[in-house]
């Protein structure tokens, strides 16, 4: 039994030595195993630089992990941020946009209405017959240099100062520098004799000028002189003459009105046209043209009666 105990004790000491330092052989009497209760060995691994770096790295990682895993107590509202900064930005953008719009509008007004970009340099005149074109051009010269957008028909009429002949004007701007002025003159439909000359008048009795003879005037003669211009018979005659096409009007030598319903036209070739009343003058003029082109080309007619335009007669 003693031998067994000694052998067991020896085996225990040998196992303990193997646990303390595996691979260390106790082959000297000066080397002995320390008591387990009095372990004076110092573990220097915790004081090394690598250990300190590892510990600091672990602490930092644990803090980040805690901060990521920490639940949010309350939801974060972005309404305050959206209502503070963007309002200021949107207000500034609106102000800058309005300022830019005003500047653009001001620049547009200046370029179109005040700058020399659209200044008038060429004035073209059309439609003059009674008026002299060179005289009209001279009268409109003050418009040169004025922007096209500022010139009105009233401005042109005021410069021409020809109310007795001028019926109206039409303007057409041709950017960048050309202005077209279309003259609308009153149309003479008759002449009346006055002091040895013949005065041209339109259907309203407005005097448009003078002619040395009826042939040169190119319109029929109305008897009665200038005093007849204000009469009702003259208004009736001019209403009929205004309805005639130019091809027929130039053939009329004299127009007479014995009464409001008995209007006659004396033609230059000696024929006579019974017109009747001024009613349906447009239809009567068309019928007269057809009669003269068809019947007049075949026979020598003396009288064309269109007083009843639906049943005209020729004698």
């Amino acid at each position: 039994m003693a031998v067994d105990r000694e052998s067991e004790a020896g085996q225990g000491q040998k196992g303990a030595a193997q646990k303390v330092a595996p691979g260390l052989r106790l082959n000297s009497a000066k080397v002995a195993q320390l008591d387990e209760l009095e372990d004076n060995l110092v573990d220097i691994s915790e004081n090394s630089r690598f250990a300190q770096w590892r510990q600091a790295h672990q602490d930092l990682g644990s803090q980040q992990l805690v901060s990521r895993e920490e639940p949010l107590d309350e939801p974060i509202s972005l309404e305050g941020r959206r209502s503070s900064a963007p309002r200021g930005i949107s207000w500034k953008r609106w102000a800058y946009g309005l300022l830019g719009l005003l500047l653009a509008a001001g620049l547009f007004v200046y370029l179109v209405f005040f700058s020399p970009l659209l200044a008038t340099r060429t004035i073209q005149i059309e439609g003059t017959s009674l008026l002299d074109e060179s005289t009209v051009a001279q009268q409109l010269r003050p418009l040169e240099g004025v922007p096209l957008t500022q010139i009105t028909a009233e401005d042109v009429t005021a410069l021409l100062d020809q109310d007795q002949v001028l019926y109206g004007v039409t303007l057409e701007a041709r950017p960048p520098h050309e202005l077209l002025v279309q003259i609308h003159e009153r149309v003479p439909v008759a002449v009346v004799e006055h002091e040895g000359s013949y005065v041209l008048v339109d259907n309203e009795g407005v005097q448009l000028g003078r002619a040395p003879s009826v042939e040169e005037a190119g319109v029929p003669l109305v008897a009665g002189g200038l005093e007849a211009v204000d009469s009702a018979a003259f208004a009736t005659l001019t209403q009929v003459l205004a309805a005639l096409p130019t091809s027929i009007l130039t053939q009329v030598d004299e127009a007479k009105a014995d009464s409001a319903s008995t209007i006659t036209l004396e033609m230059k070739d000696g024929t006579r046209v019974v017109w009747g009343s001024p009613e349906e003058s447009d239809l009567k003029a068309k019928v007269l043209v057809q009669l003269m082109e068809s019947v007049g080309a075949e026979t020598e007619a003396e009288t064309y009666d269109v007083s009843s335009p639906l049943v005209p007669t020729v004698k």
Side-chain angles (χ1 to χ4, degrees):
M1 296 295 294
V3 177
D4 295 336
R5 291 179 180 176
E6 289 179 359
S7 61
E8 291 177 0
Q11 292 178 357
Q13 291 178 358
K14 186 178 180 180
Q18 291 178 354
K19 291 181 180 179
V20 172
L24 180 63
R25 180 178 297 177
L26 301 178
N27 55 2
S28 175
K30 294 181 180 182
V31 179
Q33 183 179 357
L34 295 177
D35 190 0
E36 294 180 359
L37 300 177
E38 295 180 0
D39 191 359
N40 295 325
L41 296 178
V42 179
D43 188 3
I44 65 172
S45 61
E46 295 182 358
N47 297 327
S48 62
R49 293 183 178 178
F50 176 76
Q52 293 176 2
W53 173 84
R54 184 176 61 184
Q55 185 64 35
H57 184 71
Q58 291 177 354
D59 294 342
L60 180 61
S62 62
Q63 291 178 2
Q64 293 179 352
L65 182 60
V66 171
S67 62
R68 292 178 181 176
E69 294 179 354
E70 184 179 358
L72 298 175
D73 296 337
E74 295 181 359
I76 299 175
S77 176
L78 300 178
E79 183 178 357
R81 297 180 182 178
R82 292 177 180 174
S83 61
S84 58
R87 282 182 181 176
I89 296 175
S90 61
W91 181 86
K92 290 181 180 179
R93 289 179 180 175
W94 180 84
Y96 291 148
L98 179 60
L99 180 60
L101 182 61
L102 292 176
L103 291 176
L107 180 61
F108 175 79
V109 172
Y110 170 75
L111 292 176
V112 173
F113 294 96
F114 300 100
S115 74
L117 185 64
L118 297 176
T120 303
R121 296 180 183 176
T122 304
I123 300 177
Q124 185 176 352
I125 301 169
E126 294 181 356
T128 55
S129 178
L130 299 175
L131 297 177
D132 182 64
E133 184 174 343
S134 61
T135 302
V136 173
Q138 183 69 25
Q139 292 173 336
L140 297 181
R141 185 163 295 177
L143 297 177
E144 296 180 359
V146 180
L148 294 173
T149 53
Q150 291 191 12
I151 301 176
T152 63
E154 290 76 11
D155 298 334
V156 175
T157 303
L159 290 174
L160 294 178
D161 192 21
Q162 297 287 341
D163 293 339
Q164 72 278 11
V165 176
L166 189 64
Y167 188 78
V169 297
T170 302
L171 304 182
E172 180 181 345
R174 296 177 176 177
H177 304 295
E178 184 178 353
L179 177 66
L180 174 63
V181 179
Q182 293 181 337
I183 304 295
H184 303 287
E185 298 177 338
R186 292 180 179 273
V187 179
V189 295
V191 292
V192 292
E193 187 177 3
H194 179 70
E195 297 179 354
S197 64
Y198 296 91
V199 180
L200 294 164
V201 293
D202 69 348
N203 60 333
E204 296 178 356
V206 178
Q207 300 181 27
L208 305 180
R210 293 177 180 268
S213 64
V214 177
E215 290 75 13
E216 292 187 14
V219 289
L221 173 68
V222 175
L226 287 178
E227 293 76 10
V229 172
D230 298 327
S231 64
F234 180 83
T236 301
L237 283 175
T238 54
Q239 180 180 351
V240 172
L241 295 176
L244 293 175
T246 305
S247 59
I248 301 298
L249 183 63
T250 55
Q251 298 180 39
V252 179
D253 183 58
E254 185 176 0
K256 299 179 181 179
D258 296 335
S259 65
S261 60
T262 56
I263 299 173
T264 57
L265 305 176
E266 300 292 338
M267 310 303 287
K268 293 179 180 180
D269 60 358
T271 59
R272 183 169 176 263
V273 177
V274 178
W275 196 268
S277 66
E279 284 76 15
E280 299 182 309
S281 291
D282 293 336
L283 178 60
K284 292 177 181 180
K286 295 178 181 179
V287 172
L288 180 61
V289 171
Q290 294 294 328
L291 289 176
M292 287 185 171
E293 291 180 353
S294 59
V295 179
E298 297 178 357
T299 61
E300 294 182 359
E302 295 182 358
T303 303
Y304 297 94
D305 190 345
V306 292
S307 57
S308 298
L310 299 180
V311 286
T313 59
V314 178
K315 296 180 182 180

